[in-house]
Amino acid sequence: TQDHGANLYLVNPSLNLTFQHPRSREIKFYPSFFFSEKLLVLTVATEETDGFRRFMQSANYFNYTVKVLGMGEAWKGGDVGRSIGGGQKVKLLKKAMEDLADQEDLVVLSVDSYDLIFAGGPEEILRKFQQANHKVLFAAEGLIWPDKRLSDKYPSVRSGKRYLNSGGIIGYAPYINRIVSQWNLHDNDDDQLFYTKIYLDPLQRETLNMTLDHKCQIFQNLNGAVDEVLLKFGTGRVRVRNTAYDSLPVVVHGNGNTKMYLNYLGNYVPNAWNYEHGCSHCDDDVVDLSQLKVSYPNVLVGVFIEQPTPFLPEFFQRLLTLDYPKDKLKIFVHNNEVYHEKHIQRFWEENRNVFSSFKVVGPEENLSQGEARNMGMDLCRKDATCDYYFSIDSDVMLTNRQTVKLLIEQNRKIIGPLVTRHSKLWSNFWGALSLDGYYARSEDYVDIVQRKRVGVWNIPYMAHVYLVKGSVLRNELKERNYFVLEKLDPDMALCRNAREMGVFMYITNRHDFGRLISTANYNISHYNNDLWQIFENPVDWKEKYIHQNYTRIFTENFLEQPCPDVFWFPVFSVKACDEIVEEMEHYGSWSGGKHEDKRISGGYETVPTDDIHMKQIGFDKEWLHFIREFISPVTLKVFSGYYTKGYAIMNFVVKYTPERQAYLRPHHDSSTFTINIALNNKDTDFQGGGCRFHRYNCSIESPRKGWSFMHPGRLTHLHEGLPTTNGTRYIAVSFIDP
Ligand SMILES: *[C@@H]1O[C@H](CO)[C@@H](O)[C@H](O)[C@H]1NC(C)=O
Ligand SMILES: *[C@@H]1O[C@H](CO)[C@@H](O)[C@H](O)[C@H]1NC(C)=O
Ligand SMILES: *[C@@H]1O[C@H](CO)[C@@H](O)[C@H](O)[C@H]1NC(C)=O
Ligand SMILES: *[C@@H]1O[C@H](CO)[C@@H](O)[C@H](O)[C@H]1NC(C)=O
Ligand SMILES: *[C@@H]1O[C@H](CO)[C@@H](O)[C@H](O)[C@H]1NC(C)=O
Ligand SMILES: *[C@@H]1O[C@H](CO)[C@@H](O)[C@H](O)[C@H]1NC(C)=O
Ligand SMILES: *[C@@H]1O[C@H](CO)[C@@H](O)[C@H](O)[C@H]1NC(C)=O
């Protein structure tokens, strides 16, 4: 190992110089030639886990000299997260200390690494160790482990943590050596018990000059102390503050089941993110796909349609428009809904040759969600050429075409793009877990969702959409059953498994990636069900059904006035027109244009049309909402000063055809103003048609599909429907503010 950094900054205790200001945090009044001690960090790590990398990142940031013991060896120390064990760590330390035993000036810091970060530098540790005025200092915690019966043997403390924790030990090399050289147990015996027994022996405690870091000056164990700890943002660096002892611990240890809390702290400490500079590791180790010499990595896309989902054809279109070579994409679809088979069939027929492969497992397989997700993931795991597994649920609308590339470039084992429910705080990750493993809000959750803090965040749970490296599926996550665990939801099962394997999960909000749509209240008993989604998924509704040039009405005055006070503007997309017509024809009960009409009050219509009311297909609430959202703003623009209530009783689709009703005689409407939206195309779908306003002798004979007329209903605008001479013409009409 290199020996740089924290060598020379402390008073040598053998010179017998004591601090004149023991409470002072500064040591700069001492001449530097006295500072002759060195700090060596020893840690045991058998694998380069994500936690280990984070540890090393923080150690390198502060220029610690770190010696790693046991790397590559098989771990035989037991599952220390759950039971006793860890003896292998002492054995390795004992061996390492043999060579260091005679270095009197060497201070050794022995720490865990998978669940630990440095929040301060070596100078600070040495200074605080010096202030503690002992030869050996152990970390302390408030909970006793592993043998509660030893409690009485501990010296009592007036304030501070009473019990020893072996995750952090600092001391002079000869003394540490005298402790660990006593080890003669097995690899799976408990290291903490070993140290505890030595410490609790009054004679050894005195001769080895040992004490505990009762007030977390150096070591912060988080177990049982999460409530004592806060992030402290400073310029450049972020620390943790222990509010119980008003200390700034240097070594932060996520012992026990506080790993997730450490992960949260590690998103900031020591320099991962702060208010001034934002994210400082986001561009570390990234893969630059534009510099790729060989071809793009192979990605298996697992698509999960587990419930009826609005806008599924649009979902598939977005897959198609992802900016990624399609011959590098294999698609696996699990569809649990008979309702969606037609959508998948259509997509497949149109795009069967676009992707490298396309496999669908349908509802007839009767797979549980967990089984289906296991199957998708396993397809990538078993295929050595599968570089990434990209899992996406049908309720994720990826609006960012670069998503797959951006995730690959971020180069993490598991990473999801942040997607949120429109204008809600609902998203695809949790910042913290409750004790029973469900959602808990982390302090930073809202800021991350709203992108006030931007970065790549280590989080305990994510779902809906994520990318996993194929290599990880063949190593750390090589079992085949991660989505099925106890009674957990499949994604919760996956996340718990990943956490237990020490694989970090990240969410990135560095870009806008897209949104989550709502699948709640999705009624699939209509013919075109998405039309009804105007309340539940307004953004997707607008994107699908509102004309592309609609907003230009307001920005560029994109509308026409073909006759006096008759305004003409784009409002519906082609899809909206087609689906409304389909919906009506599917319903099929056209009124026949008779004067007697049970649907209206009075039961008599003087100028009847052959029509179906919106109410008859259960679309009246949605239609009125459409009027309020999309027609009212136009009204205000063209009839300025008139604020419409957006209220209408008569909302209907009219069908003109030479065989039934071809035209409508001159009449007024019972409205303040009327809208009349053309639902199909002249010349392709019908001939003739149009509208004539008598007062101005003005006709509009070429209606445009998706465009609406808006004109006053009474007095000035006597009008007639011109004859449709061939084919069928459809219009949607509302008499607004009757
Ligand atoms: C670590 O060392 C580098 C190079 O010597 C130096 O630039 C940097 O400031 C040091 N970091 C700290 C936190 O002292
Ligand atoms: C422990 O060592 C310090 C010097 O490092 C000394 O001042 C102190 O008296 C010692 N304490 C005991 C109990 O021996
Ligand atoms: C589908 O699976 C469930 C649970 O495994 C079972 O209860 C049900 O009977 C199965 N249905 C069919 C049609 O096989
Ligand atoms: C779904 O739509 C149908 C047809 O309009 C209607 O009869 C039914 O009540 C609706 N179901 C729900 C739960 O709203
Ligand atoms: C929107 O307007 C532009 C011209 O201004 C036109 O090219 C485009 O086709 C229009 N979009 C639709 C959907 O009609
Ligand atoms: C109406 O306009 C047409 C041409 O657009 C013209 O031939 C006709 O004479 C006009 N009628 C009246 C009453 O002005
Ligand atoms: C009516 O339309 C059909 C098909 O759209 C076409 O074949 C026919 O020639 C048209 N008839 C007239 C009289 O234009």
Side-chain angles (χ1 to χ4, degrees):
T1 53
Q2 301 161 284
D3 190 356
H4 61 290
N7 335 21
L8 306 164
Y9 298 100
L10 234 244
V11 178
N12 186 334
S14 59
L15 296 178
N16 222 1
L17 275 176
T18 52
F19 284 85
Q20 280 128 25
H21 304 284
R23 296 179 64 88
S24 163
R25 297 220 163 133
E26 291 300 325
I27 56 162
K28 58 182 171 231
F29 6 87
Y30 295 95
S32 62
F33 53 84
F34 283 129
F35 302 158
S36 60
E37 286 173 351
K38 296 180 183 181
L39 181 73
L40 174 64
V41 178
L42 294 178
T43 190
V44 172
T46 52
E47 288 170 71
E48 283 200 23
T49 61
D50 286 338
F52 176 77
R53 287 200 193 96
R54 173 181 61 192
F55 168 82
M56 287 307 290
Q57 203 164 42
S58 73
N60 291 336
Y61 172 70
F62 289 111
N63 298 327
Y64 281 96
T65 306
V66 178
K67 186 166 183 184
V68 180
L69 310 174
M71 186 55 78
E73 287 184 19
W75 175 246
K76 289 174 279 184
D79 181 355
V80 279
R82 291 178 175 197
S83 63
I84 57 169
Q88 189 177 2
K89 285 195 283 193
V90 193
K91 185 178 83 179
L92 289 163
L93 188 58
K94 174 180 176 179
K95 186 155 179 299
M97 288 312 301
E98 282 166 8
D99 300 335
L100 304 170
D102 55 358
Q103 299 200 27
E104 284 179 20
D105 292 344
L106 179 68
V107 176
V108 168
L109 172 66
S110 163
V111 283
D112 287 351
S113 51
Y114 294 164
D115 53 3
L116 192 140
I117 10 182
F118 288 110
E123 302 157 39
E124 186 182 336
I125 289 202
L126 284 173
R127 171 165 52 82
K128 288 177 168 177
F129 173 57
Q130 194 61 33
Q131 283 167 349
N133 199 30
H134 280 76
K135 296 287 196 284
V136 175
L137 188 65
F138 287 95
E141 62 177 319
L143 305 167
I144 185 165
W145 175 264
D147 187 351
K148 292 197 170 52
R149 291 167 305 180
L150 296 175
S151 176
D152 294 344
K153 299 217 165 65
Y154 271 95
S156 59
V157 288
R158 257 169 309 160
S159 93
K161 310 285 180 201
R162 188 174 177 195
Y163 305 111
L164 179 148
N165 176 286
S166 63
I169 310 168
I170 186 169
Y172 289 101
Y175 288 79
I176 299 284
N177 180 54
R178 282 167 65 188
I179 294 172
V180 294
S181 62
Q182 301 178 36
W183 177 261
N184 56 7
L185 300 170
H186 300 292
D187 282 353
N188 60 355
D189 280 317
D190 194 69
D191 55 338
Q192 185 150 307
L193 187 62
F194 164 76
Y195 292 114
T196 302
K197 284 180 172 163
I198 293 173
Y199 175 73
L200 292 182
D201 173 353
L203 186 62
Q204 293 222 56
R205 190 157 68 235
E206 166 121 22
T207 54
L208 294 175
N209 195 325
M210 299 184 283
T211 190
L212 306 187
D213 181 23
H214 296 291
K215 293 190 174 178
C216 306
Q217 299 298 327
I218 295 178
F219 301 108
Q220 177 67 57
N221 288 302
L222 293 173
N223 199 13
V226 163
D227 293 343
E228 290 169 14
V229 168
L230 290 178
L231 284 174
K232 177 179 178 290
F233 290 92
T235 48
R237 269 208 256 147
V238 185
R239 299 205 60 146
V240 298
R241 172 190 291 283
N242 183 305
T243 55
Y245 312 117
D246 194 25
S247 59
L248 296 172
V250 187
V251 174
V252 187
H253 184 201
N255 58 326
N257 57 8
T258 62
K259 311 276 180 272
M260 279 180 269
Y261 194 66
L262 185 76
N263 291 349
Y264 158 74
L265 296 175
N267 283 330
Y268 299 93
V269 178
N271 69 329
W273 189 95
N274 69 25
Y275 285 100
E276 285 82 31
H277 311 110
C279 182
S280 51
H281 297 310
C282 283
D283 289 319
D284 293 359
D285 305 323
V286 292
V287 176
D288 187 352
L289 285 175
S290 66
Q291 299 296 310
L292 210 63
K293 295 286 188 294
V294 289
S295 61
Y296 274 76
N298 293 307
V299 180
L300 174 68
V301 182
V303 174
F304 295 90
I305 308 164
E306 303 299 328
Q307 71 286 308
T309 310
F311 307 106
L312 194 71
E314 286 70 24
F315 169 89
F316 275 111
Q317 283 307 312
R318 292 191 194 278
L319 275 191
L320 209 57
T321 51
L322 274 180
D323 183 18
Y324 203 84
K326 299 294 177 298
D327 60 332
K328 294 286 165 188
L329 295 180
K330 291 184 176 172
I331 311 285
F332 165 82
V333 179
H334 175 246
N335 172 30
N336 199 32
E337 294 297 329
V338 174
Y339 166 67
H340 283 308
E341 288 186 313
K342 57 178 184 244
H343 302 126
I344 296 167
Q345 181 71 17
R346 202 172 307 150
F347 182 77
W348 180 76
E349 278 164 10
E350 288 166 10
N351 304 291
R352 66 173 83 190
N353 297 320
V354 172
F355 299 102
S356 162
S357 74
F358 196 92
K359 177 182 161 77
V360 181
V361 173
E364 67 284 354
E365 301 290 329
N366 197 22
L367 293 185
S368 73
Q369 202 183 127
E371 289 166 338
R373 291 181 189 274
N374 280 334
M375 182 187 274
M377 188 173 261
D378 210 34
L379 281 176
C380 180
R381 182 181 286 118
K382 283 189 306 202
D383 173 1
T385 68
C386 178
D387 300 305
Y388 292 91
Y389 179 59
F390 182 59
S391 176
I392 179 165
D393 295 356
S394 55
D395 58 357
V396 176
M397 281 292 172
L398 284 183
T399 52
N400 190 328
R401 297 179 56 224
Q402 306 301 321
T403 300
V404 172
K405 282 186 183 171
L406 289 167
L407 295 180
I408 290 174
E409 290 185 328
Q410 205 63 65
N411 194 18
R412 308 286 165 130
K413 288 175 181 170
I414 305 182
I415 184 166
L418 174 73
V419 286
T420 59
R421 181 76 61 75
H422 173 67
S423 78
K424 297 230 159 65
L425 288 174
W426 185 280
S427 79
N428 63 326
F429 84 99
W430 296 347
L433 296 189
S434 62
L435 286 177
D436 56 358
Y438 286 86
Y439 173 84
R441 181 173 285 188
S442 60
E443 165 274 325
D444 54 5
Y445 178 78
V446 173
D447 278 359
I448 293 175
V449 168
Q450 297 182 337
R451 298 190 64 215
K452 289 181 184 150
R453 297 184 193 180
V454 170
V456 179
W457 309 94
N458 186 343
I459 41 94
Y461 169 83
M462 61 189 202
H464 298 277
V465 54
Y466 43 82
L467 183 83
V468 188
K469 284 186 181 178
S471 58
V472 171
L473 296 180
R474 293 181 282 273
N475 291 292
E476 291 95 325
L477 300 178
K478 62 173 174 290
E479 304 299 323
R480 300 194 157 176
N481 202 21
Y482 289 117
F483 291 97
V484 178
L485 181 64
E486 293 162 16
K487 292 211 159 111
L488 293 177
D489 286 349
D491 284 316
M492 290 180 66
L494 172 73
C495 293
R496 196 166 106 186
N497 279 310
R499 292 196 304 268
E500 286 180 1
M501 300 309 290
V503 178
F504 289 170
M505 292 169 281
Y506 293 92
I507 201 98
T508 167
N509 65 350
R510 297 183 74 193
H511 305 267
D512 252 322
F513 291 102
R515 59 184 171 263
L516 276 175
I517 64 172
S518 166
T519 57
N521 309 316
Y522 190 41
N523 188 335
I524 56 169
S525 59
H526 313 284
Y527 189 75
N528 287 307
N529 297 293
D530 293 351
L531 279 173
W532 274 261
Q533 288 290 304
I534 190 168
F535 294 109
E536 196 69 33
N537 287 297
V539 176
D540 296 89
W541 194 94
K542 181 176 179 190
E543 218 161 82
K544 182 169 183 173
Y545 293 123
I546 294 298
H547 196 284
Q548 191 193 353
N549 289 328
Y550 171 78
T551 50
R552 292 173 62 195
I553 297 171
F554 309 99
T555 56
E556 301 165 36
N557 211 25
F558 191 79
L559 83 178
E560 296 173 26
Q561 192 176 177
C563 302
D565 282 331
V566 177
F567 297 94
W568 199 18
F569 56 92
V571 66
F572 271 156
S573 68
V574 168
K575 276 205 182 93
C577 297
D578 293 347
E579 292 192 12
I580 290 171
V581 170
E582 280 172 9
E583 199 67 37
M584 292 304 180
E585 286 297 350
H586 181 250
Y587 179 75
S589 302
W590 295 95
S591 65
K594 294 188 279 289
H595 288 292
E596 290 74 30
D597 193 340
K598 291 201 195 68
R599 300 169 302 173
I600 57 178
S601 65
Y604 187 86
E605 171 62 63
T606 41
V607 193
T609 48
D610 192 11
D611 58 32
I612 295 174
H613 289 187
M614 298 300 177
K615 199 179 171 74
Q616 289 178 276
I617 62 162
F619 195 59
D620 44 336
K621 280 199 294 295
E622 289 75 9
W623 182 261
L624 289 180
H625 193 65
F626 155 74
I627 288 173
R628 284 190 296 271
E629 290 289 304
F630 298 102
I631 298 299
S632 299
V634 183
T635 313
L636 191 59
K637 179 178 168 66
V638 300
F639 299 118
S640 61
Y642 179 70
Y643 293 87
T644 168
K645 295 186 276 295
Y647 178 62
I649 304 169
M650 295 293 283
N651 308 293
F652 50 97
V653 170
V654 183
K655 175 171 170 169
Y656 288 116
T657 155
E659 291 78 39
R660 292 165 65 92
Q661 179 178 17
Y663 68 96
L664 192 62
R665 68 178 171 82
H667 63 283
H668 282 112
D669 295 335
S670 53
S671 69
T672 302
F673 71 96
T674 296
I675 56 164
N676 172 335
I677 309 172
L679 296 178
N680 57 357
N681 278 316
K682 186 170 164 121
D683 296 333
T684 47
D685 302 314
F686 61 88
Q687 269 110 44
C691 193
R692 193 168 101 86
F693 293 87
H694 284 246
R695 182 179 172 86
Y696 312 104
N697 188 20
C698 176
S699 300
I700 306 150
E701 288 173 0
S702 297
R704 300 171 192 155
K705 184 172 180 177
W707 284 58
S708 180
F709 296 122
M710 178 186 286
H711 59 78
R714 302 188 185 90
L715 199 63
T716 51
H717 282 68
L718 183 75
H719 59 286
E720 67 179 311
L722 299 171
T724 298
T725 53
N726 190 14
T728 307
R729 174 180 177 224
Y730 298 94
I731 55 173
V733 177
S734 274
F735 297 160
I736 300 172
D737 299 341

